[in-house]
Amino acid sequence: MKRATVCLVGLLVLCSSAFAQATTLRFETAPRLALPAPRVRDPRIVLRASRDLAVIAIQEMEGKARLISFTSSDGGDSFSDPVPVSLPGAWVFGNGESGPALALGSRGLCAAWHQARTGGGGTEVVVSWSDTGEQWSKPVRLADQAGI
């Protein structure tokens, strides 16, 4: 049976002056990420030094999309319940390469994503930090992108 090599590399976000390291894992078969939430897409994964996994993903809900996170302490065999990253009512955009980003730095986990500006009038790029992935800081706006 062929071994599939999956390199878990996310778009690096300038969360701190520390460098994030990509980690290569080898699987007997192609991995399938079975997250405990419906309608989840564009997962981004970070493997921590503790061998715990942190995952963010976009979840479609009631005509909008939000950013949620999960953690796993058993190599992905099971995951925590979803934790909201984006604020309630925010509409998260992205698909594929334009989806959310997740990086590991000296402040812990850093998530960045693109969302509709509250009140309309364009979109914005925002970031949030977490020590463990179980609770996230209030998102901070990095840039406005009017007209996108």
Side-chain angles (χ1 to χ4, degrees):
M1 190 177 243
K2 286 186 176 181
R3 288 182 167 236
T5 301
V6 178
C7 187
L8 305 174
V9 179
L11 174 64
L12 296 178
V13 179
L14 296 175
C15 296
S16 68
S17 61
F19 293 100
Q21 295 180 0
T23 302
T24 302
L25 301 175
R26 297 191 186 280
F27 297 92
E28 291 297 322
T29 59
R32 290 194 177 134
L33 197 58
L35 298 172
R39 300 177 309 279
V40 173
R41 62 179 170 84
D42 292 312
R44 303 298 190 253
I45 307 167
V46 167
L47 177 63
R48 307 171 110 198
S50 63
R51 308 296 288 169
D52 292 346
L53 294 174
V55 179
I56 61 170
I58 296 175
Q59 182 180 37
E60 305 287 339
M61 292 189 64
E62 301 170 10
K64 290 190 176 185
R66 68 178 185 157
L67 194 64
I68 55 176
S69 73
F70 305 89
T71 56
S72 174
S73 59
D74 58 11
D77 288 336
S78 64
F79 286 91
S80 66
D81 289 335
V83 173
V85 180
S86 57
L87 293 176
W91 189 347
V92 176
F93 293 104
N95 197 351
E97 291 180 6
S98 68
L102 180 64
L104 183 60
S106 64
R107 287 182 63 183
L109 296 166
C110 179
W113 66 96
H114 190 201
Q115 70 181 21
R117 192 177 305 144
T118 52
T123 61
E124 58 191 1
V125 176
V126 294
V127 295
S128 182
W129 288 268
S130 175
D131 291 336
T132 62
E134 296 170 2
Q135 184 176 358
W136 291 84
S137 69
K138 182 178 177 182
V140 176
R141 182 176 46 85
L142 284 182
D144 287 330
Q145 296 184 336
I148 295 180

